[in-house]
Structures are given as structure tokens and as C-alpha cells.
Amino acid sequence: MAIATSTEPLDAGHAPTSRRKSSVTAAALEKAQHDPVQIVEDVAQLSEEDRRLAELGYIAVYKREFSWLSCFSFAVSISGLFASVATTYVYPLEAGGPASAVWCWLISGFGGMMIALSVSELVSAYPTSGGLYFTCKYLAPPNWVPEISWLCGWLNLLGQVAGAASTEYGCAQLLLAAVSMGSNFSYLPTQGHTVGVMAAITIFHGFINSLNTAMLEKLTRGYVIFHFAILVSCCITLLVMCKTKHDSAFVWTNVVDESGWNPVGFSFLFGFLSASWTMTDYDATAHIAEEIKNPELKAPWAISTALAFTYVGGWLFTIVLSYCVGDPATTLASPLGQPVAQIFYNVMGKAGGVFFTVAAFIILNFTGITAIQAGARTVWAFSRDEMLPLSRVWYIINTTTRTPIYAVWLFTLCCAIINLVGLGSYTAIAAIFNLTAIALDWSYCIPILCKMMFGKFEPGPWHLGKFSFWINLYSVCWVLWASILFELPTILPVTAKNMNYVCVIIAAVGIFAVGYWYASGRYYYTGPRVKAQLVEGTITDRRSEGSDEKKTFES
């Protein structure tokens, strides 16, 4: 499917669906018309993937190393099923008890699965490192593209930073929980220790992502096998060794009102956070689409199957934990700060507890590594479109690794800096973490809504057929409902310490995105750029003779 690119001004009125004049300045439009591109020769030698990328307006700069297995493993990595459930089981447990954890995972996971399918369909049609941000170029009316893609892009990027930061923080918590367990609780983690270990882990993950794509692919490939083995062995061990399992009535029907909300159903509903936090960042695999062979099939296949695995596996693991949780109040009061680690210790003793807590730590490390890889590719893709300040710096590709090293370290340092907030207030850092699901899910819903409203979508080889509209509609309705729920305080009466400040963070993100647009963005950003144009089998360029644009591809 060839998609023609256009170099006409955005307010030239190429679409009868919108008579609105873009708020982009005339100077920015003029500059975009003379945007230089890299010359590509030997077009006949282009692979099918690179030719498709050129049709979408971009030049291939990465090596395509990711196979079917590594794509699936990458998509599973980003959820970190075993470790993510281990670090988020606390939310439904303290909100409504084991029954809340079990039923909310089933319900919330289904909503997440519908979003994953909707995302997969869009990724198949427009496979670029920009992910769903880029799809706005083809789904929204031309005169709306700059503003819509700008909002979608910032929501996605900030959601990814918050998600990666929370992952790094969770890594530190798990490692220190294992250390505490190994010391027979003579050592107890402090907030300062957690933040310090988090910083070291985050920097380590930055170094890992400074490797070339081939090394990252090899590192990712076998992860899913290790993850599956740990998940199955842990579930079996817990069920066999737990001598005081709860009965089914307690697990499936006993809702404990610990939140102070009335009626008790509100306590139950707050359990949605665990599945929503685990089953998010659906488009992470899309951000490495330019490093995947045959991405229009492999990327959506990986996203949809990995999320189905996470949905089913996460629910089963949650059920097992709920049978083996012991007394919920005692487990929540654990000095480890991680109730699941305490469950491991209670059921399996010191050796088993340390082993599976360390296993969760290793798994969450892979989540952190893949999150930084996806986030760095997002920074790079946005810089390609000149969306970020200093875009020419973040767009540089290292000549040795053929990866965007500067983008990697920008994203890495942003994650570390955000987590420093934890030194002052855990309540504030928790609000930033809670931003993850809301910001990312709305960055997916924006293009999904454009697809439904404007009828410009041309499906790729992986699509939902006649079910597409209804799956899209359910996805949007679910995100709207979940967004309202996640902004409510989970405990009453509300105090400064237990207040859910995510509503403040969301408002700040919205004010930032809109304010930054009118103060600066509209003077230089015009939407996803055209860096190449495929005409009758030949890639042509609009670069003037003597241009030094090629320097932006090398360091």
C-alpha cells in the first residue's frame, strides 16, 4: 500500500473534512517546505521494509535485527508480568483484599487487551519508531495534524518516562527486599537507600542500551523463556508449600473495606491499578519497528500475543498469590515494603523467598532495559520530526553502534531525575508513577479516536476486520472510565500524605503541552516530517547541493 506524501502547506486545504486553519506559524510552514533530507542511492537494493518506510516519508538508519522470537520476548519484557504483579499486588490487596485483586485483574485486563488489539492494528498500518504518535499524520485532518500529534507525542513520551522511572524504582525495592530477607531483617531499606540503588540500576540500564541493536536483540531473545520458567515454578512452589491456603470463598468473594469509601464497592474498584500498570506501554514494540524485519506483521503479532500472555498469566499468578497471601493486614505491614516478597518468605522460607525475589528483580531489570530502549527510540523519532528542543543532538546516530546514544542518555537521566523526588516525598513520586497508565492510554486513544471519527484509516496486513470499530470503542470507553477512577484518592478521609496527586500531575502535563505549544512549539513544529519521497520506484530528495544534513546521522 503506497501512501503519497505531500509538501504543501498545512493550511492549503487539502482535506475537505476540515476548514480550520492550523495554529502553526507561517515561518514554520515555510521552513518545513525546505526541510533537507538525506540522499539515498541504489533504490532497487532496498528491502521491502525500507521501501515501505520510505513510502511513509523516512530513511532507514537502523539495522533490522529483531526476529519473531525477539519481538515477542521484547513485548513480554515491557510488561514484566511476574515482577510487575509482584510490585503492584499491594494496590488491590490494600484497597479491597484478595477478591478485589482477582476480579479486578480479570476485568481490567480485558480492557487492556482491547487497547492492545487496537494499537496492534494501527502499528501494522504505520510501522515507524514514532509509534502511535506518527499515525496521527494519516488519521487526522491535515490542518489538525500538528496540534494532535504534538499532544499525543508529549503524553506518550511523559508516560514512558514515568513508566520507566517506576520500573527502576521497583527494581531497587525488590533488590533491597532480597537483601533484607537475606539478613534475617537485621537490615531494613530506607527511602534514601532505595533512591540511591535506583540511580545505580538506571545508569546500568543506560549503558546496556548504549550497545548496538544486534547485542540488544541477543539480550532480549531468551528472556521470555526465563520469565515463563520462573512464573510457572513460582506458582507451583507456592501452591505446594503453602500450608495455610485460604478457601475459595475468601479469595473470590471476600472484599475487605480498607479504603474508607462507602459503599464498599469503591474499595473493590481501586484494585484495577495492578493490571492497568502491568498491561501498559503497548506500543513499546512499535518504537523499535525500524529495527524489526517485516515489522507490519511481527510488531502487531508480538504486541497482541504478548499482552494475551500477560493477561492470562497475570490473572493466574494473582489467583495463586491470593490463596497464599496469609493474613492480608500482616502481609501489608511487612517491613520489606513489598507484600509479595513477604508472601514468598512466609511460604518458602528464607532461601525460596530470596530466590524468587531476586528472580523478580532480574525480570524487572529486563523491563527497565526494554523501556529505556523504547523510550530512547521515541526521543529519536520525535527529534527526527524536530519536535523536541535540541532535536539535532538527540537525532544523532553513533557511527559505531548505529544507535541514538544521546537519546538513550537523555531518557535515562530523565528517569533518574524523576525518581529523586522520592527523597522528599513518596506520595509525590507515587503520583508520578500513577501517571503512566493514564498518559500512555490517552496517547493511544487519540489516534484511535481519529481513526473512528475521520475515516482515513487504511489497514495494514494485520487488522481486526469487522470487529475493529467495536474493539476501538470499548478501548476508548474503558480508558475514560479508568482515568476517572485512577484520579480519585484511594483512602478516606483524605490527608496530605494519602492524597492521590495524579490529578494534579495530569493537569500539569496538559498545561505544559498546551502552553509549550503556543509559547514555542507552533513556531517550529509542523507534525511528522517528510524526509524521503518515493516516486515511481525512486527515492527523491529536496536537499540543496552542499547541504551538511548528513552530519545529523553521524557522530
Side-chain angles (χ1 to χ4, degrees), residues 334-531:
S334 167
L336 293 175
Q338 284 292 328
V340 173
Q342 186 65 49
I343 294 172
F344 292 161
Y345 181 84
N346 293 343
V347 175
M348 296 178 277
K350 177 179 174 181
V354 170
F355 175 81
F356 282 108
T357 303
V358 171
F361 166 72
I362 294 172
I363 288 170
L364 204 58
N365 269 267
F366 278 94
T367 302
I369 291 168
T370 52
I372 290 178
Q373 184 180 356
R377 300 310 185 263
T378 304
V379 170
W380 178 84
F382 289 1
S383 299
R384 176 170 58 184
D385 295 332
E386 300 183 29
M387 178 178 163
L388 305 179
L390 301 177
S391 286
R392 286 180 176 268
V393 175
W394 318 129
Y395 184 48
I396 292 173
I397 295 291
N398 184 273
T399 54
T400 302
T401 64
R402 303 305 300 169
T403 54
I405 300 297
Y406 295 151
V408 167
W409 284 103
L410 173 64
F411 191 87
T412 300
L413 292 176
C414 285
C415 294
I417 290 170
I418 282 180
N419 274 328
L420 293 180
V421 175
L423 288 173
S425 169
Y426 180 76
T427 302
I429 196 68
I432 295 174
F433 295 164
N434 290 342
L435 169 69
T436 302
I438 298 175
L440 286 175
D441 285 354
W442 276 109
S443 76
Y444 309 144
C445 283
I446 288 173
I448 291 172
L449 282 169
C450 288
K451 170 182 175 288
M452 297 170 64
M453 293 170 61
F454 302 118
K456 300 179 64 180
F457 177 68
E458 296 182 44
W462 195 103
H463 58 87
L464 300 172
K466 62 183 180 180
F467 300 105
S468 179
F469 176 84
W470 300 108
I471 291 175
N472 293 168
L473 181 62
Y474 188 95
S475 300
V476 174
C477 291
W478 170 255
V479 171
L480 179 61
W481 154 249
S483 298
I484 297 172
L485 183 66
F486 292 162
E487 293 184 31
L488 297 175
T490 56
I491 298 175
L492 293 180
V494 177
T495 66
K497 187 175 181 179
N498 65 29
M499 172 61 183
N500 183 0
Y501 290 99
V502 70
C503 55
V504 179
I505 302 295
I506 286 289
V509 169
I511 292 170
F512 165 79
V514 175
Y516 186 28
W517 169 257
Y518 281 101
S520 180
R522 68 194 187 99
Y523 293 99
Y524 65 84
Y525 179 73
T526 60
R529 300 294 181 95
V530 176
K531 298 292 183 180

Side-chain angles (χ1 to χ4, degrees), residues 59-116:
I59 302 293
V61 299
Y62 295 110
K63 291 184 178 180
R64 296 185 182 272
E65 303 281 1
F66 278 76
S67 61
W68 286 102
L69 177 60
S70 52
C71 280
F72 176 69
S73 188
F74 184 95
V76 172
S77 302
I78 206 67
S79 70
L81 191 167
F82 179 78
S84 294
V85 173
T87 55
T88 61
Y89 183 72
V90 59
Y91 296 114
L93 187 62
E94 68 180 3
S100 173
V102 170
W103 287 109
C104 283
W105 184 283
L106 181 66
I107 298 168
S108 183
F110 181 78
M113 195 66 226
M114 295 300 101
I115 302 171

Side-chain angles (χ1 to χ4, degrees), residues 166-333:
S166 63
T167 298
E168 306 294 356
Y169 199 91
C171 281
Q173 286 182 314
L174 286 171
L175 179 60
L176 293 179
V179 172
S180 179
M181 203 181 300
S183 70
N184 292 316
F185 305 105
S186 61
Y187 164 75
L188 295 178
T190 67
Q191 193 71 9
H193 293 169
T194 302
V195 172
V197 172
M198 171 282 305
I201 293 172
T202 304
I203 298 301
F204 171 69
H205 292 168
F207 279 113
I208 293 293
N209 273 282
S210 298
L211 300 173
N212 60 37
T213 300
M215 291 296 294
L216 291 171
E217 189 273 339
K218 289 182 175 65
L219 184 67
T220 305
R221 189 189 308 162
Y223 158 84
V224 69
I225 300 172
F226 172 76
H227 193 163
F228 183 77
I230 290 295
L231 178 65
V232 172
S233 61
C234 183
C235 289
I236 293 174
T237 304
L238 284 172
L239 291 173
V240 170
M241 295 189 67
C242 184
K243 304 303 181 185
T244 56
K245 288 189 285 289
H246 290 291
D247 58 26
S248 295
F250 179 85
V251 172
W252 295 90
T253 65
N254 185 34
V255 177
V256 181
D257 184 9
E258 297 289 347
S259 70
W261 279 86
N262 188 28
V264 69
F266 273 104
S267 295
F268 173 87
L269 293 176
F270 289 128
F272 285 139
L273 184 60
S274 179
S276 295
W277 192 91
T278 303
M279 294 181 65
T280 192
D281 207 359
Y282 311 96
D283 74 332
T285 308
H287 293 299
I288 63 164
E290 295 176 37
E291 300 167 78
I292 299 174
K293 302 169 185 175
N294 196 17
E296 65 275 8
L297 285 175
K298 288 180 182 176
W301 173 86
I303 294 169
S304 56
T305 54
L307 266 294
F309 168 73
T310 300
Y311 180 29
V312 176
W315 188 49
L316 294 177
F317 186 37
T318 298
I319 292 172
V320 171
L321 290 175
S322 298
Y323 273 102
C324 303
V325 69
D327 176 47
T330 303
T331 301
L332 286 169

